[in-house]
Amino acid sequence: MLLLLLTLCGPGLQTLCDLLSAWLGPGLMFQLALAASVVLLVSLADLPLEWYRQFRIEQGFGFNRG
């Protein structure tokens, strides 16, 4: 979902691209940093949802009773 927002809605990915380009300049390091930062942002956004899903699974099997 966040990946769609970054690419389709607004200047999200372009802003990230501009910031990294100003910091690293063009080249391989810029491309690697851009890919890594997109993966990191998407992973961080999904983390609370993943924790909730895991909690619901554990609760369903009776592991979270406290």
Side-chain angles (χ1 to χ4, degrees):
M1 181 68 170
L2 180 64
L3 188 58
L4 284 174
L5 290 174
L6 279 174
T7 55
L8 298 177
C9 301
L13 190 59
Q14 184 63 43
T15 302
L16 184 62
C17 186
D18 291 341
L19 287 171
L20 288 174
S21 178
W23 187 46
L24 295 174
L28 182 62
M29 288 305 292
F30 160 71
Q31 294 172 5
L32 290 174
L34 183 62
S37 61
V38 168
V39 168
L40 182 69
L41 284 173
V42 170
S43 297
L44 285 175
D46 190 46
L47 194 58
L49 296 173
E50 187 62 36
W51 283 346
Y52 178 74
R53 284 186 211 118
Q54 184 66 33
F55 177 77
R56 294 292 296 176
I57 290 171
E58 290 176 0
Q59 187 179 18
F61 285 102
F63 294 125
N64 290 325
R65 293 187 184 250

